[in-house]
Amino acid sequence: MSPSISAPALQVKAVSASPRGAAGIKQVPEVTKLIDVSVCIGCKACEVACQEWNDLGVDKIRTLPPGTYQTLPDLEYNFWQLIKFNETERDGRLLWTLTKYQCMHCEDPGCLRACPAPGAIVQYSNGIVDFVQENCIGCQFCVTGCPFDVPKISPSTGKVYKCTLCSDRVGAGLEPACAKACPTNAISFGTREKMLTQATSRAEQLKADGNAAATVYNPEGVGGTHVVYVLPHGDEPDLYGLPKNPKVTFVRLWKGPMKWLGNLVFACTEGIAMAQRAAPRNLVVRYTMSERVVHWTVALSFLYVMFTGLALFWPPFFWLADVFGSGPVIRVWHPIVGLAFIAALAVMFTKWVRDMFLDGEDRKWLAHVREYATGEDRGVPEAGRFNAGQKMLFWLQLGSAVLLVLSGVVLWFPGSFGRALREASFIVHDLAAIAAIGGIILHIYMGVFVTRGSVQAMTRGTVSPRWAEAHHGRWFKMMRSGTPAPRR
């Protein structure tokens, strides 16, 4: 059945990175596709109709394992509807389930919540979730954000695709192509209220016919879906290739508390730094040329991945993507420059690691860190080549970098890893980034405003004897006496 809905149905209700954020007043009824798997015969007419209407070509022929009737093993970027054939044993009898699988058009879409690019994913006022490829940056965050594993990326365009629920047909008052082609009326389409009523009635009829577990599959973990199923064995949706309890909890955590935690850390570290009183300015070889080159390579590459990462991390910062080229550009270069950062940090590690172990004198220095931070450092114990704060920052950045690269590889190639690992990697990547950025904010402030002369030391490589004695007394005395600094 085709609902009487015209073009206004395509008014945007929510756009990517801002679920429920725009035009929340519903001016048209929400629509729903109902799939009654009990009358599906697996004819695949819906697959053909989808391919034809959306002009989806086949880029290669695949040889499937013997014994399967599926067209493909899974959905693909150019194959949006798939009849799943599942064989299992139940009560000693063979059970063969047929399930039409596609985008579920969730009421609370995880893909939309995860997407950082404005306008790349939209949710229309009739409930349809659509992808706008010209705004897609190819980050693949939607792949992990979707609990149904629906979105697929094109290897040629780098864009992500999925079922649109024939938004063009629905906007013109027509039903989706798959519903039009189904010969057994296993697919119905209409207003959400009517389809849910019809689904409930059909589930009750199946129960009366002996299918006690028959139910309507409309998972609450995603706020309900605009593609619902009538399942004869509703207590085991996995028999039909459907997740039992799909949720977007991870995306809510990642896009909600995680972002506010990041803002809190940035604000606190910035506030702590700005609250300190600057020490008087002061202007011996402190850093060799190679050390300075490595340091600035680490610093500049980190700044790039920090700013581009913020564009992907938090929607209000997405304007930074335009500063560095565009969304698609930073999607390509963010991980590449990230690897350059890791490589430079590894070189820095080999140069400085022996000077970075905390000792007894460092623990005394830490007891007076407040006086040092406020410039009242007369009673602060003398530091070696690096003070305890610099050493702790070194290990913080190193640990964060390891977590960033490990989780980053998973985010870079999400299709190669399982859902649990992908979801965990988002959280780990964000926490590591928050720690690294918070440490760098304090490092920059201390080097520029508190320990004045530090920047010149890292640009020129030299400092005055007075500066060296004031800030790194133990190291200066060793240098002056010709005694090499202790190595570990």
Side-chain angles (χ1 to χ4, degrees):
M1 177 179 178
S2 177
S4 178
I5 298 175
S6 57
L10 298 186
Q11 178 181 352
V12 174
K13 175 168 62 174
V15 297
S16 58
S18 181
R20 302 285 177 230
I25 300 176
K26 302 175 184 177
Q27 299 181 357
V28 297
E30 293 193 2
V31 296
T32 294
K33 180 196 292 185
L34 167 60
I35 302 171
D36 184 355
V37 303
S38 67
V39 295
C40 176
I41 61 174
C43 67
K44 305 183 184 179
C46 54
E47 293 182 0
V48 175
C50 178
Q51 294 296 108
E52 289 187 348
W53 178 260
N54 294 290
D55 195 22
L56 301 174
V58 178
D59 53 0
K60 59 182 177 179
I61 303 298
R62 295 163 182 80
T63 302
L64 299 180
T68 180
Y69 292 94
Q70 286 188 194
T71 306
L72 294 174
D74 200 357
L75 298 172
E76 295 197 0
Y77 76 95
N78 59 354
F79 202 87
W80 302 346
Q81 311 272 334
L82 177 67
I83 297 295
K84 288 188 174 182
F85 291 75
N86 300 291
E87 291 185 11
T88 187
E89 213 176 274
R90 188 180 177 91
D91 300 327
R93 299 177 59 186
L94 176 66
L95 178 64
W96 196 12
T97 63
L98 305 172
T99 313
K100 180 178 181 295
Y101 202 68
Q102 73 283 297
C103 172
M104 302 294 289
H105 297 272
C106 307
E107 185 69 12
D108 183 9
C111 60
L112 189 149
R113 281 184 174 270
C115 181
I121 303 178
V122 296
Q123 185 178 32
Y124 300 126
S125 55
N126 61 4
I128 293 177
V129 179
D130 208 353
F131 281 16
V132 183
Q133 274 71 34
E134 50 264 39
N135 296 328
C136 175
I137 64 173
C139 66
Q140 300 186 62
F141 287 2
C142 57
V143 175
T144 300
C146 174
F148 297 96
D149 291 321
V150 167
K152 305 297 179 184
I153 191 164
S154 167
S156 58
T157 67
K159 308 293 186 178
V160 184
Y161 299 83
K162 69 168 190 68
C163 161
T164 66
L165 204 60
C166 287
S167 57
D168 51 351
R169 291 176 59 90
V170 173
L174 303 174
E175 60 188 340
C178 59
K180 182 73 173 178
C182 182
T184 62
N185 290 324
I187 307 172
S188 302
F189 186 76
T191 62
R192 182 164 180 77
E193 181 180 3
K194 184 172 183 178
M195 291 298 99
L196 290 178
T197 300
Q198 180 177 325
T200 302
S201 175
R202 176 58 178 163
E204 292 300 321
Q205 182 180 353
L206 288 173
K207 288 180 180 179
D209 291 341
N211 295 283
T215 189
V216 178
Y217 184 80
N218 182 31
E220 296 180 357
V222 292
T225 56
H226 291 270
V227 175
V228 300
Y229 293 84
V230 174
L231 304 179
H233 303 286
D235 56 335
E236 297 182 78
D238 51 301
L239 293 177
Y240 305 91
L242 298 168
K244 190 167 187 178
N245 188 23
K247 295 181 178 180
V248 291
T249 305
F250 130 78
V251 185
R252 291 193 185 112
L253 173 64
W254 176 49
K255 287 289 186 176
M258 286 292 297
K259 300 303 180 277
W260 291 112
L261 174 61
N263 289 340
L264 179 62
V265 170
F266 301 153
C268 288
T269 51
E270 187 73 17
I272 291 171
M274 296 304 294
Q276 309 304 329
R277 181 166 62 87
R281 183 181 179 183
N282 291 301
L283 239 193
V284 190
V285 175
R286 176 147 175 83
Y287 299 110
T288 65
M289 174 62 77
S290 64
E291 287 177 323
R292 283 179 282 150
V293 169
V294 170
H295 173 273
W296 288 112
T297 301
V298 169
L300 294 175
S301 58
F302 179 83
L303 288 175
Y304 179 88
V305 296
M306 179 183 76
F307 287 125
T308 55
L310 284 173
L312 299 172
F313 178 82
W314 189 232
F317 291 117
F318 193 76
W319 60 270
L320 289 169
D322 293 329
V323 175
F324 291 94
S326 67
V329 169
I330 67 169
R331 171 62 183 93
V332 172
W333 284 102
H334 177 81
I336 294 175
V337 178
L339 291 179
F341 163 71
I342 297 298
L345 192 65
V347 175
M348 178 185 284
F349 175 82
T350 62
K351 288 181 173 294
W352 288 349
V353 64
R354 291 178 296 177
D355 295 315
M356 291 297 179
F357 292 96
L358 291 168
D359 55 27
E361 294 299 317
D362 289 319
R363 296 183 182 91
K364 296 178 184 178
W365 188 94
L366 285 172
H368 297 269
V369 68
R370 183 171 182 176
E371 292 95 321
Y372 180 82
T374 57
E376 301 172 359
D377 53 0
R378 293 183 180 179
V380 178
E382 293 182 336
R385 187 183 186 193
F386 299 102
N387 61 44
Q390 291 172 311
K391 294 179 179 180
M392 293 173 67
L393 174 68
F394 176 85
W395 292 112
L396 172 67
Q397 296 304 102
L398 184 66
S400 299
V402 171
L403 294 176
L404 285 170
V405 71
L406 292 177
S407 58
V409 169
V410 178
L411 301 184
W412 198 356
F413 306 104
S416 303
F417 302 92
R419 166 160 298 279
L421 182 58
R422 296 201 308 263
E423 293 182 350
S425 294
F426 270 101
I427 304 300
V428 170
H429 204 75
D430 286 357
L431 287 175
I434 290 170
I437 295 173
I440 286 298
I441 290 174
L442 287 178
H443 177 60
I444 292 174
Y445 183 82
M446 294 298 292
V448 173
F449 300 105
V450 176
T451 313
R452 297 196 174 185
S454 296
V455 175
Q456 291 90 333
M458 190 52 74
T459 54
R460 301 173 184 172
T462 58
V463 294
S464 69
R466 183 178 177 183
W467 186 96
E469 185 174 18
H471 299 292
H472 298 274
R474 278 194 294 144
W475 169 76
F476 178 65
K477 290 176 182 177
M478 291 178 184
M479 294 289 290
R480 188 170 54 180
S481 66
T483 303
R487 299 291 188 184
R488 292 178 180 264

